């Protein structure tokens, strides 16, 4: 069979992405194709850390095997975006908004949000982080010293977010005196969050991670009204008392018509560093049971470990401080699953002649 760019593209039109079951050509995941002694093709993955890349590569090579030429695949990343309603298009440069929530405090929601953002960045995505926990903002501390402080743009019309470890961050913590309590009513919270969305120069982002306050209150309601959230992720711990509150958070997402991407079970187990024994301190199986109850995926089970908590205390998240360790690996795998579920919800995007970045 004669190999030309057109014939190769035609062959690739028979290859389906295993995540979406759409062919690569109609999904606009095929970039530049060149044919010489080998076939060189650009293929865009729909999510960072795409867990099904091995399956997709096998399908591509099988489709191009009749050409009897070596095949070189340059993997790229093109995160899809569902076009928002015009009346809610407050973040035109952000492809996906992912809300991290918890039914109650103390389950490690902010730790999860920060490390998810760091993990998505490490996997090749462009990420921003909005600390919407108005009464207990902790994201700036967890992210460590800023390389750029939050400031006003030239002319003062826009807000430039702080930059922590390469991630733009906004938080009410930048605007209140250290140690002072934030005592605001609903309308004030709504106005602040609207400003964080409309007046901040977020830049081009694949994902904006929002660390919601615990529970079901004014901030969640405001964000649900202000912008289309791609999906929510609920953080829980395994014991039954925590799951009771999670059910309320699930009901909140349903009421606000925010899709639930899945659950993350934090403090799932403890592994003794000396003998390797695993102990389920807070019971076990709660996240799995809840996922089955609501027909959503259990996206990750994060262990208890002082390196994770120490990362938050010192401002050096474990994904950054111990990037090759077991806990960073779990966060990376969890982030990849979160991104894949979000991408499967709207796996289309604008046509591009070449991929903007490689992974």
């Amino acid at each position: 069979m004669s190999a030309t760019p057109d014939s190769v593209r035609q062959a690739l039109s028979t290859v389906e992405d295993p995540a979406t079951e759409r062919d690569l050509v109609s999904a606009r995941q095929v970039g530049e194709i060149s044919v010489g002694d080998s076939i060189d093709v650009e293929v865009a993955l729909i999510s960072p850390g795409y867990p099904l890349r091995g399956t997709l590569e096998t399908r591509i090579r099988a489709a191009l095997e009749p050409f009897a030429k070596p095949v070189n695949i340059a993997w790229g990343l093109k995160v899809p975006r569902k076009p928002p309603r015009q009346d809610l298009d407050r973040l035109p440069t952000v492809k996906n908004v992912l809300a991290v929530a918890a039914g109650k405090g103390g389950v490690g929601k902010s730790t999860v949000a920060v490390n998810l953002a760091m993990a998505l960045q490490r996997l090749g995505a462009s990420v921003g982080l909005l600390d919407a926990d108005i009464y207990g903002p902790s994201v700036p501390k967890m992210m460590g010293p800023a390389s750029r402080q939050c400031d006003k743009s030239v002319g003062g019309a826009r807000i430039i977010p702080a930059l922590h470890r390469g991630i733009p961050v906004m938080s009410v913590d930048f605007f209140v005196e250290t140690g002072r309590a934030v005592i605001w009513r609903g309308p004030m919270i709504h106005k602040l969050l609207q400003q964080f969305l409309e007046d901040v120069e977020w830049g081009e982002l694949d994902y904006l991670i929002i660390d919601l306050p615990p529970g079901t209150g004014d901030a969640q309601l405001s964000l649900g009204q202000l912008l289309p959230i791609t999906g929510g992720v609920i953080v829980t711990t395994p014991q039954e008392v925590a799951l009771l509150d999670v059910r309320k958070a699930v009901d909140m997402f349903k009421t606000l018509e925010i899709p639930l991407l899945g659950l993350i079970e934090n403090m799932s187990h403890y592994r003794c560093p000396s003998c390797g024994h695993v102990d389920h301190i807070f019971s076990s199986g709660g996240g799995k049971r809840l996922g089955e109850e609501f027909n959503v995926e259990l996206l990750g089970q994060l262990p208890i470990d002082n390196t994770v908590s120490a990362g938050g205390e010192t401002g050096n998240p474990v994904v950054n401080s111990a990037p090759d360790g077991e806990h960073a690996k779990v966060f990376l795998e969890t982030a990849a699953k979160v991104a894949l579920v979000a991408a499967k919800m709207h796996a289309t995007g604008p046509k591009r002649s070449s991929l903007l970045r490689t992974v």
Side-chain angles (χ1 to χ4, degrees):
M1 184 183 295
S2 176
T4 66
D6 286 342
S7 63
V8 170
R9 190 175 296 275
Q10 179 62 35
L12 291 174
S13 70
T14 67
V15 178
E16 292 184 347
D17 188 309
T20 64
E21 298 183 352
R22 292 194 60 192
D23 78 83
L24 298 181
V25 173
S26 67
R28 298 170 181 171
Q29 291 176 241
V30 178
E32 296 292 335
I33 298 173
S34 61
V35 178
D37 294 335
S38 63
I39 297 173
D40 300 323
V41 58
E42 289 182 332
V43 177
L45 301 174
I46 61 172
S47 64
Y50 184 68
L52 303 175
R53 193 172 92 169
T55 301
L56 179 57
E57 181 172 354
T58 298
R59 293 182 180 183
I60 292 172
R61 294 191 181 279
L64 300 183
E65 187 175 6
F67 294 114
K69 286 179 177 287
V71 175
N72 300 314
I73 304 172
W75 298 104
L77 177 64
K78 188 173 71 174
V79 175
R81 172 187 179 172
K82 182 179 180 179
R85 287 166 36 193
Q86 287 192 353
D87 59 328
L88 291 180
D89 194 13
R90 289 184 167 87
L91 294 172
T93 63
V94 178
K95 292 182 178 179
N96 293 278
V97 179
L98 305 180
V100 180
K104 56 179 286 186
V107 299
K109 169 187 56 63
S110 295
T111 298
V112 170
V114 163
N115 279 286
L116 277 181
M118 293 289 297
L120 287 169
Q121 181 197 50
R122 186 175 163 192
L123 290 171
S126 53
V127 186
L129 190 52
L130 171 57
D131 185 359
D133 195 344
I134 304 300
Y135 300 117
S138 57
V139 166
K141 174 179 172 58
M142 289 184 168
M143 290 292 287
S147 59
R148 180 186 70 202
Q149 299 297 326
C150 178
D151 202 354
K152 292 184 178 180
S153 64
V154 177
R158 305 282 288 172
I159 300 172
I160 307 299
L163 197 66
H164 293 255
R165 304 191 183 280
I167 293 178
V169 174
M170 281 302 301
S171 172
V172 69
D173 193 52
F174 301 147
F175 304 99
V176 297
E177 186 180 339
T178 302
R180 291 290 299 275
V182 178
I183 307 173
W184 291 352
R185 295 186 181 275
M188 295 178 67
I189 293 174
H190 184 91
K191 185 175 181 180
L192 176 72
L193 292 175
Q194 184 172 353
Q195 187 175 18
F196 280 178
L197 298 175
E198 294 181 344
D199 297 341
V200 172
E201 292 283 358
W202 285 107
E204 298 284 340
L205 297 179
D206 292 319
Y207 304 98
L208 176 63
I209 307 296
I210 301 182
D211 180 26
L212 291 176
T216 55
D218 292 324
Q220 292 89 330
L221 178 61
S222 291
L223 287 168
Q225 294 172 338
L226 287 169
L227 78 163
I229 297 176
T230 304
V233 176
I234 295 179
V235 181
T236 184
T237 49
Q239 70 268 44
E240 187 62 33
V241 67
L243 301 182
L244 295 173
D245 294 300
V246 170
R247 291 182 175 91
K248 297 176 184 177
V250 171
D251 185 63
M252 173 194 70
F253 278 136
K254 186 182 299 185
T255 301
L256 296 175
E257 298 183 346
I258 298 173
L260 180 58
L261 302 181
L263 307 172
I264 295 177
E265 188 179 82
N266 195 25
M267 308 181 202
S268 176
H269 59 274
Y270 172 75
R271 184 186 300 276
C272 176
S274 299
C275 67
H277 172 72
V278 173
D279 190 8
H280 294 88
I281 298 174
F282 297 115
S283 185
S284 65
K288 181 179 179 182
R289 289 194 302 272
L290 203 64
E292 292 171 350
E293 177 181 338
F294 292 105
N295 194 31
V296 294
E297 187 174 354
L298 179 59
L299 299 166
Q301 293 176 292
L302 310 174
I304 302 172
D305 193 276
N306 60 4
T307 59
V308 178
S309 57
E313 291 293 326
T314 61
N316 194 5
V318 69
V319 170
N320 184 73
S321 64
D324 299 321
E326 173 192 357
H327 304 95
K329 180 181 178 182
V330 174
F331 274 114
L332 289 165
E333 291 172 350
T334 301
K337 288 182 180 179
V338 170
L340 180 61
V341 175
K344 287 168 67 175
M345 291 175 56
H346 45 246
T348 59
K351 186 175 181 180
R352 298 180 182 180
S353 59
S354 62
L355 305 177
L356 296 183
R357 58 189 186 278
T358 58
V359 292

